[in-house]
Amino acid sequence: MTNIDTQTLEALFRASRAAVEPGTALGGHLERAGERYRGGGFGRLVVAGFGKAAIPMALAAEERLGNLISSGLVIAPKGTPPFKKGGAGGISSHDAEANLPQSPFVKGGLKSIEVVTAGHPHPDSAGEAAGRRVMSLARACDERTLLLLLISGGGSALLSVPAEGITLDEKRITARLLMEAGADIHALNTVRKHLSAVKGGQLARLAFPAQVISLMISDVPGDRLDVIASGPAVADPTTFNDAWTVLERFSLTERVPPAVRLRLEQGRAGTVAETPKPGDPLFARVESIIAARNGDALSAAAAAARSLGLEVNIRGETVAGEAREAGKQLAREALRVRSNLHAGQRVCLLSGGETTVTVQGSGRGGRNQELALSFALEIAGTSGISLLSAGTDGIDGPTDAAGAMVDGETVSMARRAGLDPPSHLAANDAYPLLDRCGALLKSGPTGTNVMDVQVILIAGDRSTMP
């Protein structure tokens, strides 16, 4: 590893995650849901959840609502570690390498809410089966039922019930093609909604006339309610025409399975029903609340940085687009800031969002690793600048890393080890290079997900970071 101040970078990243941990973020909202249940003349409180934070959210719900819960089911990714109650109502991971018991309960945790695990990011038959059970829970609701939905990033893949006429494999192939083409979450979920039996407000339609409270941890830029987990309980402003336009934009209309193409064509012709739209009366009985978002994580990191005596600048623009281009842009901003610093001045630049990677090579890595390697190439040889870029969920692509930490010496270290950084970047192969340099950040699954966070430390000449 280089002389990066890993202690400061990791401390600020931990502060960002702690602010969006479900036990903290959901507490007040769950208390109000309990009050509403007690005073609303309801006969049943049913819980359903899906996403990377499903288990910690369910633990928080049981801790706050206890015996009020009649029944529940949450869907979490396979390989999610068991979680336990932490201090001050928090939730923490037992062991990042442990596997979650498949069913029915989390060891030492849940009592009223069953846990099922399923494939992520690519849906599997377990997710489809669990999704159909969630649909059955919704259909069984009546006007005296309060349905509490716990939704977090990854929910689109985990709650995966294909629309009539489409198989899970056909839906999965379509999503994979879009991901590999570099489609962002808005485009991806526009298509997902129109190939699903449950997304795009359709779960709320199944539950009507129940009262629905949807608590969300947002993992999408702009925090659009209809995009988080493809908005199963939110009115859908997108159409079959929009979904078709997405496929055209990425030149996929002839590459998707024929059944997918047929459904979208039928939807455009009006022979297949649209998803429920804004203004539909059923949404009068749905309340949607974002309990945690990327901005909350950045605000917490900023407070921690100021406590260390750092000047703080939170980037107003969401980090998005191609990861390697975002890395270049952030590096250039950092270089501009450094050029204006005096000796001893210390600045922390914070940003957040979610980039994409258009897969062109056969390497191993994730969007944060690719961003970090691109950043390192741009600042190569420059002292006083270091970056941490990581997913708040602790997962970066199909790897065991959350992200990476780099500085101006990372590139030279890689070259001394016989590696060529530009070639690794071109091949989407950041992981082995960063691993060789000791630059990977490995936290294991964190139990939350509000996209990614970038922490950049910048020091004027001859200064030292805290």
Side-chain angles (χ1 to χ4, degrees):
M1 190 64 184
T2 64
N3 59 0
I4 299 174
D5 184 358
T6 58
Q7 184 175 357
T8 300
L9 288 171
E10 291 182 358
L12 299 184
F13 183 56
R14 284 195 302 272
S16 73
R17 289 202 326 253
V20 294
E21 179 272 315
T24 300
L26 269 63
H29 300 297
L30 291 169
E31 293 286 354
R32 286 186 286 276
E35 293 169 2
R36 188 166 180 178
Y37 178 81
R38 294 183 188 94
F42 293 101
R44 289 196 309 145
L45 174 57
V46 177
V47 177
F50 26 89
K52 295 178 183 178
I55 296 170
M57 292 177 85
L59 282 163
E62 284 204 349
E63 184 176 12
R64 301 279 181 164
L65 301 176
N67 293 332
L68 294 180
I69 298 173
S70 306
S71 62
L73 173 68
V74 297
I75 313 170
K78 286 180 178 177
T80 301
F83 290 85
K84 64 180 179 180
K85 296 177 183 177
I91 306 296
S92 62
S93 171
H94 274 295
D95 180 354
E97 300 300 320
N99 288 320
L100 176 72
Q102 293 295 303
S103 182
F105 305 114
V106 182
K107 183 185 293 184
L110 295 166
K111 298 177 181 177
S112 304
I113 302 173
E114 182 181 352
V115 175
V116 176
T117 61
H120 181 277
H122 302 300
D124 62 8
S125 58
E128 180 177 359
R132 294 191 184 280
R133 292 184 60 194
V134 169
M135 292 174 68
S136 295
L137 282 177
R139 288 193 188 97
C141 293
D142 58 23
E143 60 185 7
R144 295 192 66 240
T145 303
L146 177 60
L147 175 61
L148 177 63
L149 298 179
L150 306 174
I151 301 175
S152 56
S156 287
L158 294 167
L159 184 73
S160 189
V161 182
E164 186 176 352
I166 297 176
T167 67
L168 181 63
D169 278 343
E170 290 165 338
K171 191 168 182 283
R172 184 165 46 204
I173 289 167
T174 303
R176 183 181 286 116
L177 286 169
L178 285 163
M179 290 178 191
E180 291 177 349
D184 65 18
I185 193 66
H186 295 82
L188 179 62
N189 285 0
T190 294
V191 176
R192 278 170 161 167
K193 293 175 192 176
H194 291 89
L195 302 180
S196 172
V198 69
K199 297 180 175 69
Q202 296 180 86
L203 183 62
R205 182 160 60 190
L206 289 173
F208 186 81
Q211 182 71 50
V212 179
I213 297 177
S214 183
L215 298 183
M216 307 182 190
I217 294 180
S218 173
D219 71 327
V220 301
D223 302 316
R224 272 180 47 181
L225 297 176
D226 68 294
V227 180
I228 302 169
S230 300
V234 178
D236 180 21
T238 70
T239 64
F240 278 104
N241 278 327
D242 295 326
W244 185 263
T245 299
V246 169
L247 295 186
E248 287 184 324
R249 188 194 320 161
F250 293 101
S251 302
L252 295 176
T253 55
E254 299 302 317
R255 295 182 61 196
V256 297
V260 168
R261 189 164 57 249
L262 176 62
R263 175 172 174 81
L264 295 185
E265 289 172 344
Q266 289 175 334
R268 296 173 72 205
T271 58
V272 171
E274 262 289 2
T275 50
K277 301 302 176 199
D280 191 311
L282 76 88
F283 293 112
R285 297 189 65 79
V286 179
E287 181 180 4
S288 299
I289 301 165
I290 296 180
R293 66 194 81 204
N294 189 261
D296 300 324
L298 295 180
S299 295
R306 293 188 184 101
S307 73
L308 296 174
L310 296 167
E311 298 178 30
V312 177
N313 181 7
I314 300 179
R315 192 173 190 264
E317 185 180 355
T318 298
V319 176
E322 282 290 328
R324 64 185 64 186
E325 294 304 318
K328 288 180 183 178
Q329 186 174 358
L330 289 174
R332 290 166 185 168
E333 289 182 22
L335 289 166
R336 283 196 297 271
V337 170
R338 187 181 182 280
S339 69
N340 293 316
L341 296 185
H342 56 70
Q345 192 172 2
R346 304 169 300 171
V347 174
C348 175
L349 299 185
L350 295 169
S351 60
E354 187 167 293
T355 59
T356 56
V357 173
T358 301
V359 178
Q360 299 169 330
S362 57
R364 188 179 182 204
R367 61 180 182 266
N368 286 287
Q369 295 161 60
E370 186 148 317
L371 183 153
L373 180 53
S374 175
F375 184 99
L377 280 164
E378 202 72 17
I379 65 163
T382 303
S383 63
I385 299 177
S386 57
L387 160 85
L388 177 151
S389 184
T392 54
D393 59 357
I395 303 167
D396 187 37
T399 74
D400 60 354
M405 295 177 283
V406 298
D407 69 359
E409 296 181 26
T410 302
V411 167
S412 61
M413 176 180 284
R415 286 177 171 147
R416 287 194 299 271
L419 303 173
D420 181 52
S423 297
H424 277 263
L425 184 62
N428 306 117
D429 198 29
Y431 183 98
L433 183 146
L434 295 169
D435 191 26
R436 185 71 175 269
C437 295
L440 292 174
L441 174 66
K442 298 182 180 182
S443 64
T446 64
T448 193
N449 183 21
V450 293
M451 300 188 290
D452 304 331
V453 167
Q454 291 82 37
V455 181
I456 304 174
L457 301 180
I458 308 172
D461 287 343
R462 297 182 301 281
S463 73
T464 57
M465 299 308 294

